[in-house]
Each structure stands twice: as C-alpha cells, then as structure tokens.
Amino acid sequence: MTSRAFRQRFLMVGLVAPLLLTVLSLAGWRAAPASARPAAAQDIPDNPYGVNVFLHKEVEEWKIEQTLRMIAEANITWIKQEFSWQEIEFKKGYFFDDKWNKSSWEKFDRIVDLADKYKLKIIARVSHPPAWAASTDGTGPLNNNKDMADFTNALLDHYKGRIQYVQMWNEPNLSAEWVPGKPVNPAGYAAMMKTVYPLVKAAHPDAVLLSAPLAISLEGVNLRGNMNDLDYWTGLYAAGIKGNFDIASANAYGLDQPPDAEPGPKALNFRRVELLRDIMVQNGDGDKSIWLNEYAWNASPETLSEEEKNYWRHVTPEQQASWTVQGVEYARANWPWAGVMSIWYFRQVGDVPSDKAEYYFRMVDPDFTPAPIYDAVKNDAMKYPGPASQPVSTPEFVPPTATSVPPFQGDTPTPVAPTETAVEATPTAAEGTTVTATPAGATATVTPGGASATPMVTGTAGPSATATAGTGTVAGESGGNTLLFVLGGVLVVAGLGGVGYWFMRGRQPAS
C-alpha cells in the first residue's frame, strides 16, 4: 500500500469509525484492543528467556558444554541455533561428509545431546543453502523451494521428539541475506513458505514453523536492494503469506532508547514490533504470537571509533543489563501475544574482535567472563520455571587447560616441561588405525589428523579413553592425568585433572 493510499484510508476510518462504534456499543458490543487478543496458548511459554548461540562454530567441545551450562544456570530456557543447510546436506538426500569421513549430522548431534542434558529447548534456524540447491538465475535463493521443505523434514526426522521449532530463513528484507546483489522480493519469500509450510506440516503436524525475522530499517527499496521491515511485512501479506507460518519472528533492538519508548514508523526502538503486530491484526492474524528473534541493546564503550560505537548506538553496560530485563517485563505485562525473547547474543567464539560494536551485545565474553547483563538476566529469570530448577545430575564441569608449543620439526617434538605423566614421541602409525585404552593407566596411541608425516604421541589415558587415527579426536571419561597430543602439527599439553568428561578435537572443516 502506498503512503498516500494509507493516509486516505486512515482519514476515512477516522470519520466512519466513531459513528460505527457508537451504534455497536448501543447493541452491547465492546471491542477489545488488538494487543488484548491472546495468541494460541501453546505459543506463549512460561519462561520467555531465550538466547542466540553459535555452537556450530566451536572447535573445542568443552566450550559448547560450558556455554550451555552457563545458559542453564541463568535459567534461560531457549537457545536459537543455526543448522546450516550447506554443512549438512552435501548432495540432494546425502548427509555424509566425504572429506572428513563422517556423518554430517555429527557435530549438530553433540549440540542437541548437550542441550538435552542441560534441559534447554532449541529453536533451529534453517538457512544458507548448499551450492547444489542455490538458484542459478538469481530470481530467488533456491532453484526449487521443495528442496528446503525436504531438508527441514530431514532435520525434523533426525531429531524427532527433540526439535520442534524451526525458523525458516533469516532477514529476507536484506539483499545480502536473500540473493546477494539482487533486490529483495516479499513475493519470493511468500512463495517459498507457500511451498515449504504445507509439505513440512503434512509430514510433521506437531512442528512449529517460525517466519523469518526482518531486519529493522527505515529505508525503502534502495540501490542496495533492501526494504524496510514494515513495507516488507505488508508485502508478505499481499503475496499470501497468511496461513503459511505458525509463529511470526521479529527483531527488537532498543538502540539508545528505553524499553517503553513510543513506537512509530520513523522510530527504531524496542516497541517497533507493535507496528508489525498491527499489520498482522489488520490481515486477520491476531491469533498468532510473535517471538523475538534478536532482542538487544549494545553496550559498546566510548573508546571505539565514532562509526563503530554509533552503528547500533550504545548504552552503558548497566543500562544494557537493566533495560534487557525491563523489556521482558514490559512485554509480559503489555503484549499477551509475545512469546520467547531471544537475546542477541550469549557468547561468540572469538571471531568478532573487541574493536567492533558487535562484540558488545554479548552476555558472556569469549573467555566466559560474564557481563553485567548475565547476572541481571539470571536474577530475573529465576522467577520463571526453567532448567535451573531441573539440576543436571553430573559432576561439575571443569574445562581442560591447554598450552600450545611451537610445531614439531621433523620427527622430533619441541621439548616441553615435565608433566604429571611421562610421554614420548614415536613413529607414525598407519592412517585409519584405532586404538582403545580401557583400564585406568593404560597407554593410548594417538595419530591426530591422519597424515602419515604427523608424529604421534603416547600418553597415559583415563578409563574408557578412545583415540582414533585420521580424525584428530580423543574422548574419554574420568581421566586423572596429563595427556600430550597433536593438533595440526602442534604439540599440546592438556591437564585433565579428573574432570567428569573431556573431549579434544583436531582439525575440522571450516564453519
């Protein structure tokens, strides 16, 4: 709808509505405000706290576990994790990574296993199609939208009973997220969902599909091909999106304004989501809930460049902590249609440097040092039911310590300080050899990486330790010694110190 047409319709409603309401009120009818129309009860969970994570980027598994442990300890119930299509389905219907000779589900399986362990619920994001599925003509991101439905069904089959909520794509109102270099197209995303939704729901009636969240923006269609969120959302309804999603996703950034700042078409703030809600109600979708995909204030310091610190605008760490909690309280008090509010973000893996504003959305630093927002959310979240009231019956997790030393020169390891357990370098074993050490104190032979030129190291392993040549993986339980192993040609000393579970991984494909 053009702005002129909207103004004309608004003026007509302004003249006719008072008379109509008077007649209806005389008949005993009273209209409830749009915000008071509750969404489906099952879509409004008891605990609204969620958080975005990037666990598929982690190399060291103890960091995945420590991340999920801290989330659970803060009583945050939901995690939103991408299940990158291009990392899982390498060919149509083929879910095996030939390069690394393993199931392509493997690393995601471990994420889901640990989420289950810590009683966390997953919102799985599906995006980033593989090259074989990507469009060749640039009119949309996919050659065949059915391929996305098939992948989503495969994901739901693989994690049957463990994953129910799936977010379909991300920010399609940005050219870079839709088809890089091409203008965005609401009708294209609507067409995608009109294919994907019925096929997925037919196979998995209990699945809950979330629409893609939209990037908040004040720009119209421009030279970069982007579109503002309100125009795009209106365009989706015009293209028939209604009936092809279960829950609406929205982004809610507060920028430098408090949670109760008034919304408006020319304002970017937390309550802008109310304008998206109005469009839903106008199109007969008032019974659907909205879940916040990215919810945040940025606490970048004054020491950053002007461009960086003003990109998201910025608040103090104390304001970030306080306003995040206040925003949740505002939504619970005023938005009966608001579901999970996923904070952007919990922790990044170290690929965002501290001189970038994006770093300061975090709740926890890469080294797991909590920011003030972590404690504030933890204190508030405790009033809701959640994982903190369902303690995990395992020993406290203590991350292993690891010290890297210079690479091997030939077959001779660089000398290292004496460790608790004696070790020595030996010739390389055959590629693909698997050695298992089961009794406590047995010696395990390890050939990380599988390259014939890589030296191997023998060391004392704990009970049930398994070392597999060609994968660079060592896993075991209740180790009480120090183990030396090789990661990409570098000798690493890892003090295991009797932890309940330890896991070290060697070289992996890039995420």
Side-chain angles (χ1 to χ4, degrees):
M1 182 189 304
T2 65
S3 60
R4 180 178 179 182
F6 179 82
R7 285 196 299 270
Q8 289 173 339
R9 181 172 295 184
F10 179 81
L11 289 172
M12 182 172 292
V13 170
L15 291 172
V16 175
L19 177 60
L20 179 61
L21 288 173
T22 299
V23 172
L24 290 172
S25 65
L26 291 174
W29 180 88
R30 293 184 182 276
S35 61
R37 298 170 188 162
Q42 68 269 21
D43 294 338
I44 310 297
D46 291 335
N47 189 327
Y49 277 104
V51 72
N52 285 267
V53 292
F54 315 109
L55 302 177
H56 63 300
K57 294 184 177 182
E58 293 285 8
V59 174
E60 297 170 280
E61 186 159 338
W62 73 265
K63 292 181 178 178
I64 299 176
E65 178 144 17
Q66 182 69 350
T67 297
L68 296 178
R69 176 185 291 275
M70 292 186 72
I71 291 171
E73 288 176 346
N75 210 38
I76 296 169
T77 296
W78 299 81
I79 60 171
K80 187 166 75 65
Q81 166 67 49
E82 181 178 4
F83 286 70
S84 180
W85 186 2
Q86 64 189 0
E87 292 188 46
I88 297 174
E89 191 176 18
F90 288 92
K91 293 181 286 189
K92 179 71 174 181
Y94 190 74
F95 303 96
F96 192 84
D97 189 339
D98 292 326
K99 179 178 180 181
W100 301 98
N101 193 34
K102 63 180 181 180
S103 166
S104 51
W105 295 108
E106 185 178 297
K107 76 173 179 179
F108 296 96
D109 289 347
R110 192 59 187 144
I111 292 170
V112 175
D113 289 345
L114 287 170
D116 286 347
K117 174 180 176 180
Y118 288 100
K119 311 296 191 296
L120 300 171
K121 299 179 180 179
I122 295 174
I123 304 167
R125 168 182 152 186
V126 171
S127 56
H128 292 119
W132 65 263
S135 173
T136 54
D137 61 14
T139 58
L142 305 175
N143 272 326
N144 187 344
N145 290 328
K146 183 178 180 296
D147 290 332
M148 187 173 178
D150 293 342
F151 173 72
T152 304
N153 278 327
L155 184 148
L156 290 167
D157 285 339
H158 189 80
Y159 297 112
K160 186 174 181 60
R162 305 174 77 190
I163 290 180
Q164 181 183 10
Y165 295 83
V166 185
Q167 175 189 306
M168 310 309 299
W169 215 263
N170 185 63
E171 297 180 340
N173 63 321
L174 297 182
S175 174
E177 295 273 1
W178 184 240
V179 181
K182 301 288 186 179
V184 301
N185 179 12
Y189 180 78
M192 174 190 289
M193 291 303 293
K194 285 192 281 188
T195 296
V196 172
Y197 183 83
L199 290 173
V200 173
K201 295 294 280 191
H204 298 92
D206 294 335
V208 180
L209 301 192
L210 288 76
S211 66
L214 305 178
I216 62 171
S217 170
L218 299 181
E219 61 189 2
V221 177
N222 58 26
L223 294 177
R224 294 182 297 169
N226 301 331
M227 186 183 294
N228 77 63
D229 47 335
L230 303 182
D231 288 345
Y232 193 96
W233 196 225
T234 299
L236 284 179
Y237 275 102
I241 193 69
K242 183 178 179 180
N244 290 289
F245 65 95
D246 297 312
I247 293 173
S249 294
N251 288 348
Y253 286 93
L255 299 182
D256 57 355
Q257 299 180 46
D260 60 355
E262 290 288 332
K266 298 299 182 182
L268 296 178
N269 56 29
F270 169 64
R271 289 179 57 194
R272 186 174 178 85
V273 69
E274 294 177 16
L275 307 184
L276 295 175
R277 174 70 183 173
D278 289 343
I279 295 170
M280 292 175 65
V281 171
Q282 291 163 14
N283 285 277
D285 261 350
D287 60 341
K288 281 188 166 59
S289 64
I290 299 178
W291 288 18
L292 302 189
N293 162 72
E294 295 175 11
Y295 165 58
W297 280 265
N298 187 276
S300 56
E302 292 290 344
T303 53
L304 296 190
S305 68
E306 287 297 316
E307 180 181 7
E308 277 298 321
K309 70 183 181 183
N310 289 320
Y311 186 82
W312 295 98
R313 303 179 196 163
H314 62 288
V315 297
T316 67
E318 292 72 27
Q319 285 176 314
Q320 181 190 52
S322 175
W323 287 358
T324 299
V325 169
Q326 289 177 34
V328 172
E329 293 174 342
Y330 184 94
R332 298 294 274 191
N334 297 282
W335 299 345
W337 38 265
V340 176
M341 302 173 67
S342 294
I343 297 167
W344 182 263
Y345 50 81
F346 190 75
R347 173 185 172 274
Q348 47 98 359
V349 303
D351 54 354
V352 180
S354 59
D355 61 352
K356 296 295 183 182
E358 186 76 13
Y359 181 100
Y360 298 96
F361 283 119
R362 88 285 185 242
M363 294 181 68
V364 173
D365 285 326
D367 67 359
F368 294 100
T369 300
I373 185 178
Y374 177 82
D375 291 326
V377 166
K378 181 177 181 179
N379 290 337
D380 189 63
M382 290 301 172
K383 67 189 180 189
Y384 301 105
S389 61
Q390 308 172 58
V392 179
S393 57
T394 58
E396 181 179 357
F397 178 75
V398 179
T401 57
T403 304
S404 296
V405 297
F408 284 110
Q409 303 298 322
D411 290 333
T412 304
T414 303
V416 296
T419 63
E420 186 178 320
T421 302
V423 297
E424 61 178 344
T426 62
T428 302
E431 182 175 352
T433 303
T434 300
V435 182
T436 303
T438 49
T443 298
T445 301
V446 187
T447 311
S452 59
T454 302
M456 67 182 177
V457 177
T458 61
T460 303
S464 301
T466 301
T468 305
T471 64
T473 297
V474 182
E477 296 181 0
S478 301
N481 304 293
T482 300
L483 178 70
L484 267 68
F485 59 100
V486 181
L487 290 180
V490 177
L491 183 65
V492 178
V493 183
L496 304 178
V499 300
Y501 185 86
W502 53 269
F503 185 100
M504 312 288 179
R505 177 172 294 158
R507 293 172 291 177
Q508 295 199 17
S511 296

